């Protein structure tokens, strides 16, 4: 009986140490660029779906932008939208522009505690310089180019 308990304790301890080790490895490859003051995020809350929250990270030499899209209204079918990103340097010039893939944001159901939200992730190969602004806009419909 004591051998069995010791085996269980060792297995649990090994699992805990493994989780701590892996979470430490993951955390070291990711730097929050907003918290350390490298970039600021400017979100426009326009349109049928808006960006309710967002973050910018440096991960393995890439800029990773994540966020949550929410819908304003309670009626209708899913809204097809995408997120436009513009990286603006400290000098005011647009360094790069990218667009997410299309995202369908389904309707909100009032009274049921259900808020519709869809997550998005955008990866950009270059990390912006200190003082840059990351402009995010949710846009439904096509662009005229």
């Amino acid at each position: 009986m004591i051998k069995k308990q010791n085996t269980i304790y060792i297995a649990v301890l090994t699992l805990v140490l493994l989780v701590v080790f892996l979470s430490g490895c993951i955390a070291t490859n990711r730097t929050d660029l907003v918290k350390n003051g490298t970039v600021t995020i400017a979100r426009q809350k326009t349109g049928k779906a808006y960006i309710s929250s967002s973050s910018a990270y440096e991960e393995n030499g890439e800029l990773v932008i994540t966020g949550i899209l929410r819908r304003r209204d309670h009626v209708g079918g899913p809204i097809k939208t995408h997120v436009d990103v513009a990286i603006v340097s400290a000098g005011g010039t647009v360094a790069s522009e990218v667009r997410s893939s299309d995202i369908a944001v389904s309707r909100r159901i009032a009274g049921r505690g259900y808020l519709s939200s869809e997550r998005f992730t955008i990866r950009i190969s270059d990390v912006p310089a200190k003082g840059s602004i990351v402009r995010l806009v949710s846009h439904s419909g096509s662009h005229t180019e």
Side-chain angles (χ1 to χ4, degrees), residues 67-137:
I68 298 174
L69 284 165
R70 292 199 190 278
R71 189 174 169 145
R72 292 190 185 280
D73 61 1
H74 300 279
V75 296
I79 296 172
K80 182 177 161 186
T81 188
H82 61 268
V83 178
D84 293 326
V85 179
I87 309 294
V88 182
S89 69
T93 59
V94 176
S96 65
E97 292 180 313
V98 295
R99 183 179 307 152
S100 74
S101 57
D102 288 337
I103 304 162
V105 182
S106 55
R107 69 184 175 115
R108 294 170 54 175
I109 300 174
R112 294 191 182 191
Y114 176 77
L115 289 176
S116 173
S117 64
E118 294 295 330
R119 295 186 180 276
F120 67 88
T121 301
I122 301 167
R123 294 185 177 275
I124 302 171
S125 60
D126 296 325
V127 177
K130 187 171 180 82
S132 296
I133 299 171
V134 178
R135 289 188 186 156
L136 303 175
V137 179

Side-chain angles (χ1 to χ4, degrees), residues 10-52:
I10 291 171
V12 170
L13 181 62
T14 303
L15 182 62
V16 168
L17 290 174
L18 183 64
V19 168
V20 169
F21 175 74
L22 289 176
S23 65
C25 289
I26 293 169
T28 57
N29 291 336
R30 191 174 207 184
T31 304
D32 191 332
L33 297 176
V34 176
K35 284 186 180 178
N36 73 11
T38 302
V39 299
T40 55
I41 295 179
R43 297 186 308 249
Q44 286 187 343
K45 289 192 174 186
T46 59
K48 296 177 182 179
Y50 66 95
I51 303 164
S52 65

